[in-house]
Amino acid sequence: MSSEDKFQGIAVLDHKDWKNPKKVEFPAKPFYDHDIDIKIDACGVCGSDIHCAAGNWGKKQTPLVVGHEIIGKVVKIGPKCNTGLKVGDRVGVGAQVFSCLECDRCKNDNEPYCPKFVTTYSQPYEDGYVSQGGYANYVRVHEHFAVKIPENIPDHLAAPLLCGGITVYSPLLRNGCGPGKKVGIVGIGGIGHMGLLFAKAMGAEVYAISRSNAKKEDSLKLGADHYIATKEEPNWGEKYFDTFDLIVVCASSLTDVDFDVMPKAMKVGGRIVSISIPDEDQTLTMKPFGLLGVSIANSALGSIKEIEQLLKLVSEKDIKIWVETLPVGEAGVKEAFERMDKGDVKYRFTLVDFDKEFGN
């Protein structure tokens, strides 16, 4: 049971051999008064998992259990928990498991920007414990960072909302996406395809922006009103001059994003917001005069309040993201890693069958 000192997970043992994860037993985080234990039923596979597993964001402590799009049921509640969660509740945990909850940022629903932010895996808490993620049988977190999942969203579709989904929804929400707005989504992949669905559901006129026409058909099926292939139209910024209120950049790499062309397509006061966290050796270059009247920013995760708002939108609008399921385990995680590395997915993976792998 989850009250034991050991959990099981599928872990990366060496960044150089990251595509061959192994099943391991690892120590659980100390259980504090506001903690809960969650028995995991599903976990999404995020691009961040690949970056961390492969060592693209620097060397991490191993064994490393990644996964921060967790769906499961509460099985234990700390003595001072007060959020109303009960044993048996189906909840989700995203890419953040701790913040101070006392600073102005936390009190104003900006927990991802708290200096004491702890990611769901690979980062030490103040007590020195290094967080471990959701490719495991259990996860132990502060109650604040677990949200109830609406009944009509199945596990495999709910999981990717908790990191990939909220990462694109937060900048859409914070930058006025809605009726009367023209919104572009750059990079139609795991996160970008959700951006198209959410922006359309929020009432915007939506433009899918990709390098080639390869994803045009999918984008239109996902609800895009327009499609721009930037390699086919290298001067697309001039063609769409003064068009966009908002562009959200969801590309995994910024190397192919031309920040000298894009600002030309923005309205005065328009905003370009990137959610990309590429390899740490990448740099962003642009000519400063192109920024006259245009803002460029980077967005982190969304807050717990925003995750709840996203789940409400998906539930009420019956939004169906595109997900393929794989069984958790050494073979399933290996397949997810290999196919994600090749871009062979439309457009997200969710790991399932946790009971079969780890037992009841």
Side-chain angles (χ1 to χ4, degrees):
M1 289 297 294
S2 63
S3 59
E4 294 177 350
D5 292 330
K6 300 285 187 180
F7 294 163
Q8 291 182 314
I10 309 300
V12 173
L13 303 184
D14 184 343
H15 290 308
K16 296 179 180 178
D17 192 33
W18 65 277
K19 291 181 183 178
N20 290 295
K22 301 298 179 184
K23 188 174 183 178
V24 301
E25 188 174 72
F26 61 92
K29 185 184 84 68
F31 192 95
Y32 295 113
D33 288 347
H34 283 276
D35 283 345
I36 61 172
D37 280 357
I38 300 166
K39 181 178 181 295
I40 300 174
D41 294 314
C43 187
V45 180
C46 184
S48 301
D49 300 347
I50 307 303
H51 280 300
C52 256
N56 295 339
W57 290 344
K59 188 175 181 180
K60 305 298 182 182
Q61 178 176 301
T62 55
L64 170 65
V65 178
V66 299
H68 56 206
E69 297 177 339
I70 300 167
I71 302 293
K73 294 182 179 64
V74 178
V75 294
K76 182 180 178 182
I77 295 177
K80 293 186 179 180
C81 287
N82 55 17
T83 56
L85 291 176
K86 304 183 301 296
V87 170
D89 283 347
R90 187 170 69 123
V91 297
V93 175
Q96 181 177 11
V97 289
F98 190 77
S99 70
C100 76
L101 301 178
E102 296 175 353
C103 67
D104 285 344
R105 293 185 175 191
C106 286
K107 290 179 179 178
N108 287 285
D109 297 312
N110 283 311
E111 302 100 321
Y113 301 91
C114 174
K116 295 187 177 181
F117 174 105
V118 176
T119 58
T120 304
Y121 58 79
S122 80
Q123 186 174 357
Y125 284 86
E126 290 182 320
D127 64 7
Y129 180 85
V130 177
S131 57
Q132 297 283 14
Y135 297 5
N137 55 354
Y138 293 95
V139 66
R140 179 174 290 170
V141 299
H142 189 287
E143 60 172 335
H144 179 82
F145 295 95
V147 297
K148 288 187 178 181
I149 305 298
E151 291 183 2
N152 67 329
I153 309 178
D155 289 352
H156 72 291
L157 298 184
L161 302 176
L162 297 166
C163 178
I166 190 58
T167 300
V168 68
Y169 177 73
S170 179
L172 290 172
L173 182 67
R174 293 186 182 215
N175 292 282
C177 178
K181 301 295 184 179
K182 294 185 178 181
V183 175
I185 302 294
V186 175
I188 313 305
I191 293 179
H193 99 280
M194 289 189 273
L196 296 178
L197 287 164
F198 301 158
K200 187 66 175 179
M202 295 166 80
E205 184 176 344
V206 182
Y207 292 70
I209 304 173
S210 189
R211 286 173 293 182
S212 72
N213 281 304
K215 295 180 179 178
K216 182 174 182 177
E217 183 178 350
D218 284 355
S219 296
L220 297 178
K221 288 179 181 178
L222 287 160
D225 300 291
H226 313 277
Y227 189 89
I228 301 172
T230 59
K231 293 295 185 184
E232 304 292 328
E233 301 181 70
N235 295 319
W236 68 273
E238 296 177 3
K239 178 178 179 179
Y240 293 92
F241 174 77
D242 204 29
T243 294
F244 293 99
D245 299 283
L246 172 65
I247 288 180
V248 180
V249 180
C250 302
S252 59
S253 168
L254 297 179
T255 301
D256 293 325
V257 179
D258 194 332
F259 285 96
D260 291 324
V261 172
M262 190 181 298
K264 298 175 183 178
M266 305 304 297
K267 292 180 180 179
V268 173
R271 297 181 179 182
I272 299 170
V273 183
S274 171
I275 58 91
S276 176
I277 307 178
D279 293 359
E280 59 183 357
D281 61 349
Q282 286 196 23
T283 59
L284 181 64
T285 59
M286 67 185 76
K287 297 174 182 177
F289 289 110
L291 299 182
L292 293 174
V294 178
S295 299
I296 294 183
N298 197 281
S299 176
L301 306 170
S303 68
I304 295 301
K305 182 178 180 181
E306 288 172 332
I307 293 175
E308 292 171 342
Q309 289 175 299
L310 172 59
L311 292 169
K312 185 173 185 288
L313 176 73
V314 171
S315 174
E316 292 181 348
K317 298 284 188 177
D318 195 28
I319 298 171
K320 295 290 194 298
I321 64 174
W322 292 12
V323 176
E324 180 180 344
T325 60
L326 291 171
V328 72
E330 292 178 2
V333 174
K334 177 182 174 68
E335 180 179 347
F337 283 174
E338 290 179 339
R339 290 179 57 188
M340 285 276 287
D341 194 38
K342 294 187 294 185
D344 178 23
V345 54
K346 284 191 176 182
Y347 280 97
R348 299 290 286 197
F349 286 127
T350 296
L351 300 170
V352 296
D353 295 340
F354 278 67
D355 278 349
K356 290 182 181 178
E357 176 65 28
F358 298 112
N360 293 318

